[in-house]
Amino acid sequence: MREYELTSPSGVRRAGRLMAALALAVASACARRGGGNGIGVRQMATPAPRASISSAPAGDWIQMFNGRDLSNWDIKFAKHELGDNYNNTFRVGGGLLEVRYDKWTAFNGEFGHIFYKQPFSFYLVAAEYRFVGKQVTGAGPSLAWALRNNGIMIHGQSAESMGLNQDFPISLEVQLLGGLGTGPRSTANLCTPGTNVHFGDTLITRHCTNSKSKTFDGDQWVRVEALVLGDSIIKHIANGDTVMTYRGPEMGGGAANNTKPGVLVAGKVLTEGSISLQAETAEIDFRKVEILNLKGCMNPEAKNYKPYYVKSDPASCR
């Protein structure tokens, strides 16, 4: 299903079909789980007119990257303390959020992540990126998998809770891959450091699952989005096409090494979490990182009511 088309500098022209797909996904999740931690029938049955996500004003999107500096972000590299922007890897240049390895002379597993300071539970997050440059010096043949490979980490642990030597946050990785000019290489894949997910009713424990996206060779700009509804439905979208759908994220599995004791609780359901961007040995630019919060006041009499919200937060009403 094609849900978006790239048409403007602000990112997308959002088609009305998204909310129909969203409503079906929510209804399916509620039917399967009897309400659970998802969106209950009572909550969805509001007398106010419902609006599609496409109706959200551009000003309602939170610009996570402001184009000037890295305020509202925390940086964590494996083997380094929180806040140490090792070798000035994450930087801002020409209005872009850049990952650069020009100051590195070797690589010894110092994978990095930059965390947005606010967690979210129901949202649509988007990043517009392009791969540039080369892989870090010293990566070696064992890291060939990391060529033009980074990610958007969603439903993650906090930066503060990561272990000093931890390589990847417990999270769901919306994997960003650039084409290598050698054949198909999809983007918006799923990798699961310290997590597992469900495809339908089946628990998936393999680390990575490829999407059905196109291959994007060269240094072209690509927009990847993740539509996240708590622990019910998650969709990956690449340049407007839905390329993967899954549900029921929970902690478990491997690929998140050297975590602090007690942080990884196998089977714990993930309903919200941090959002971070990777520095995984590949240089990359982000010209936009933005998020539309889908949880808030659903009382139409409140001043901060939004008709496109899908998750009620009565405490936020004013």
Side-chain angles (χ1 to χ4, degrees):
M1 176 186 297
R2 185 165 186 80
E3 294 180 340
Y4 297 91
E5 293 179 6
L6 296 179
T7 58
S8 68
S10 63
V12 297
R13 182 180 69 223
R14 301 174 181 87
R17 283 185 291 174
L18 175 59
M19 197 58 189
L22 176 59
L24 287 173
V26 170
S28 174
C30 289
R32 180 183 294 114
R33 304 178 54 207
N37 292 328
I39 302 172
V41 174
R42 182 184 301 274
Q43 190 174 341
M44 290 296 291
T46 172
R50 304 304 302 142
S52 69
I53 293 174
S54 64
S55 70
D60 284 3
W61 284 75
I62 301 168
Q63 298 306 309
M64 303 168 77
F65 170 55
N66 62 21
R68 301 183 303 275
D69 54 42
L70 300 179
S71 59
N72 295 320
W73 295 85
D74 289 321
I75 295 172
K76 178 67 178 75
F77 279 86
K79 305 180 181 181
H80 294 267
E81 296 289 346
L82 177 65
D84 180 4
N85 188 7
Y86 185 54
N87 285 332
N88 194 32
T89 304
F90 292 105
R91 64 184 78 163
V92 178
L96 304 176
L97 195 167
E98 301 174 335
V99 172
R100 294 292 184 271
Y101 286 97
D102 54 310
K103 298 183 182 298
W104 292 61
T105 57
F107 182 81
N108 295 294
E110 301 96 341
F111 296 106
H113 297 81
I114 184 168
F115 292 76
Y116 193 65
K117 290 189 175 183
Q118 179 183 348
F120 292 89
S121 56
F122 285 67
Y123 56 91
L124 177 62
V125 65
E128 296 178 11
Y129 69 93
R130 66 179 177 187
F131 283 99
V132 296
K134 300 179 180 179
Q135 194 174 25
V136 62
T137 298
S142 65
L143 286 170
W145 57 266
L147 286 166
R148 295 207 157 203
N149 182 345
N150 279 309
I152 309 167
M153 320 301 279
I154 60 175
H155 266 16
Q157 67 182 109
S158 67
E160 294 83 359
S161 69
M162 287 189 68
L164 177 65
N165 296 320
Q166 187 173 341
D167 46 7
F168 303 108
I170 300 166
S171 59
L172 306 171
E173 178 186 349
V174 183
Q175 186 187 51
L176 309 179
L177 291 183
L180 302 176
T182 57
R185 197 175 194 232
S186 58
T187 193
N189 304 315
L190 170 67
C191 294
T192 52
T195 55
N196 295 313
V197 303
H198 292 78
F199 280 78
D201 292 326
T202 303
L203 180 68
I204 303 299
T205 59
R206 62 178 174 268
H207 179 50
C208 290
T209 302
N210 287 342
S211 79
K212 58 181 181 181
S213 86
K214 301 175 182 177
T215 299
F216 298 97
D217 288 314
D219 297 352
Q220 62 181 301
W221 288 102
V222 182
R223 182 179 175 95
V224 163
E225 298 154 301
L227 175 64
V228 183
L229 303 180
D231 65 335
S232 56
I233 298 297
I234 300 174
K235 293 187 175 187
H236 294 187
I237 303 164
N239 271 7
D241 291 322
T242 296
V243 296
M244 179 176 292
T245 302
Y246 55 95
R247 67 172 194 89
E250 59 183 54
M251 288 190 188
N257 300 300
N258 301 312
T259 59
K260 290 181 179 178
V263 174
L264 199 164
V265 180
K268 181 180 179 180
V269 175
L270 297 175
T271 61
E272 64 177 4
S274 65
I275 296 173
S276 60
L277 305 174
Q278 279 189 327
E280 199 177 28
T281 78
E283 296 190 339
I284 194 171
D285 291 335
F286 294 94
R287 67 181 178 187
K288 183 178 288 292
V289 186
E290 60 182 354
I291 190 166
L292 182 67
N293 188 12
L294 300 177
K295 177 181 177 180
C297 181
M298 295 180 70
N299 180 355
E301 296 181 0
K303 293 181 179 179
N304 59 333
Y305 163 73
K306 303 292 184 182
Y308 57 81
Y309 284 153
V310 299
K311 177 68 172 177
S312 179
D313 181 13
S316 70
C317 294
R318 59 180 186 272

